[in-house]
Amino acid sequence: DGDSTPKLLEYNADTPTAVLEAAVIQWQWLEERFPGKDQFNSIHERLIEAWKRLRPYLWGEVLHFAHAYNPDSEDMMTTNYLRDTAEQAGIQTAALLVDDIGWDQQGKVFLDLEDRRIRSIFKLYPWEWILQEEFGLHVLESYKDMQWIEPIWKMLLSNKGILAVLWELYPGHPNLLPTYLDGPRDMQAYVRKPILGREGSNISVVTPGSALETPGGYGQEGFVYQAFSPLPVFDGFYPVIGSWVIEGEAAGMGIREAEGWVTRNWSRFVPHLIED
């Protein structure tokens, strides 16, 4: 609202879903509905420029783009969009499914469906899932000979345990919420989140006199306990801002709004504009 101090609820450093909506779709909406208005959004241009700067350092002649099979095509659309930005930056690309990545046991390298060695790859597939797959051991075995985007160290940042680490390092920081790994401690209102959860699954919101829990299959890995920070309510909806960061700088934002406290994978994406 321009007056409150923004609070960091979560940080996603590995899987850039909703980038197509934030970068292109809401900009198209702005041009068609409100020509002449502006938007905090330079995601598309900055992605292309980032690929241009990365291009000389890529290994091999082809940058592969991989995603899991998804019947609703969200992962495919996101991956294809990022692939398009790479091609606009002059990078030769190829597409394949994660399940179609082959392993050459003799050469100790990954291959695509045309038996080309994969040297550089963007994958829309969380690292914690990759390491649980049968080919996860091969990833570690060949990691020094491949470029992965995003790199494996992003696991440390996309893990919600980082929220507790940040609070321990910077207690009282105005943009952080008290977050702990060992329970809610003395917090009367808090949110329990799976350390490796996604899309609003297995979230518990506990406040004096009420409790809410969403279904899902996460939580075996443990939880973090974060102080409850009430979301603003506009016309009955609860918006959350997603701030997109490219090469260390804020490049745009996307807004998701839910009908309750928890933003789920079906929560609406809402375009925005800047009023004069």
Side-chain angles (χ1 to χ4, degrees), residues 26 29-30 34 37-40 253 271-276:
Q26 69 169 340
W29 167 88
L30 182 75
F34 301 96
K37 293 286 187 178
D38 201 3
Q39 188 177 87
F40 178 48
M253 73 176 185
H272 75 278
L273 59 83
I274 299 173
E275 289 283 8
D276 296 329

Side-chain angles (χ1 to χ4, degrees), residues 177-242:
L177 292 167
T179 307
Y180 308 102
L181 290 167
D182 58 355
R185 298 193 181 182
D186 58 352
M187 296 187 294
Q188 300 301 308
Y190 61 90
V191 180
R192 190 186 74 164
K193 302 177 178 181
I195 288 176
L196 300 177
R198 294 182 177 277
E199 298 181 334
S201 297
N202 301 103
I203 301 291
S204 298
V205 181
V206 178
T207 60
S210 68
L212 164 72
E213 185 169 357
T214 61
Y218 299 95
Q220 299 89 343
E221 69 281 2
F223 297 87
V224 297
Y225 299 80
Q226 184 183 64
F228 176 62
S229 180
L231 301 176
V233 183
F234 294 91
D235 297 327
F237 297 102
Y238 300 72
V240 172
I241 291 176

Side-chain angles (χ1 to χ4, degrees), residues 8-264:
L8 177 67
L9 300 179
E10 295 182 5
Y11 180 50
N12 181 348
D14 192 17
T15 51
T17 50
V19 67
L20 176 62
E21 295 93 318
V24 177
I25 295 176
Q26 69 169 340
W27 184 260
Q28 187 86 26
W29 167 88
L30 182 75
E31 291 186 322
E32 293 183 1
R33 293 292 310 280
F34 301 96
K37 293 286 187 178
D38 201 3
Q39 188 177 87
F40 178 48
N41 184 5
S42 59
I43 300 172
H44 183 76
E45 295 81 7
R46 291 201 189 193
L47 280 173
I48 295 173
E49 290 304 312
W51 285 122
K52 287 180 180 179
R53 283 187 281 272
L54 183 61
R55 183 176 60 191
Y57 304 101
L58 293 173
W59 296 351
E61 298 180 356
V62 177
L63 173 61
H64 288 78
F65 282 77
H67 61 87
Y69 172 73
N70 190 332
D72 65 12
S73 299
E74 179 187 7
D75 289 356
M76 180 185 69
M77 289 190 296
T78 301
T79 306
N80 283 346
Y81 168 65
L82 290 170
R83 181 186 174 195
D84 179 68
T85 59
E87 290 185 343
Q88 290 189 51
I91 297 172
Q92 182 180 351
T93 70
L96 73 165
L97 296 174
V98 170
D99 289 343
D100 291 334
I101 298 175
W103 173 252
D104 180 354
Q105 182 62 35
Q106 183 174 358
K108 306 295 184 183
V109 296
F110 284 106
L111 305 174
D112 64 14
L113 291 175
E114 299 179 14
D115 287 334
R116 291 179 298 187
R117 179 181 176 183
I118 300 174
R119 298 298 310 279
S120 301
I121 184 170
F122 168 89
K123 51 53 175 194
L124 188 62
Y125 201 70
W127 269 110
E128 64 266 22
W129 293 4
I130 289 178
L131 297 183
Q132 292 176 1
E133 297 282 1
E134 185 176 343
F135 68 86
L137 292 177
H138 300 319
V139 170
L140 299 179
E141 185 179 356
S142 61
Y143 190 82
K144 63 181 176 57
D145 298 317
M146 281 183 63
Q147 288 183 320
W148 291 84
I149 304 172
E150 300 284 346
I152 196 170
W153 60 264
K154 288 296 188 76
M155 287 184 67
L156 298 176
L157 303 184
S158 58
N159 182 316
K160 291 183 181 61
I162 194 68
L163 300 171
V165 173
L166 286 171
W167 184 253
E168 182 178 353
L169 293 174
Y170 306 101
H173 192 288
N175 299 123
L176 298 176
L177 292 167
T179 307
Y180 308 102
L181 290 167
D182 58 355
R185 298 193 181 182
D186 58 352
M187 296 187 294
Q188 300 301 308
Y190 61 90
V191 180
R192 190 186 74 164
K193 302 177 178 181
I195 288 176
L196 300 177
R198 294 182 177 277
E199 298 181 334
S201 297
N202 301 103
I203 301 291
S204 298
V205 181
V206 178
T207 60
S210 68
L212 164 72
E213 185 169 357
T214 61
Y218 299 95
Q220 299 89 343
E221 69 281 2
F223 297 87
V224 297
Y225 299 80
Q226 184 183 64
F228 176 62
S229 180
L231 301 176
V233 183
F234 294 91
D235 297 327
F237 297 102
Y238 300 72
V240 172
I241 291 176
S243 176
W244 287 92
V245 177
I246 300 174
E247 293 190 307
E249 295 184 357
M253 73 176 185
I255 302 172
R256 300 286 299 278
E257 64 176 20
E259 298 179 3
W261 294 118
V262 181
T263 305
R264 302 299 306 274

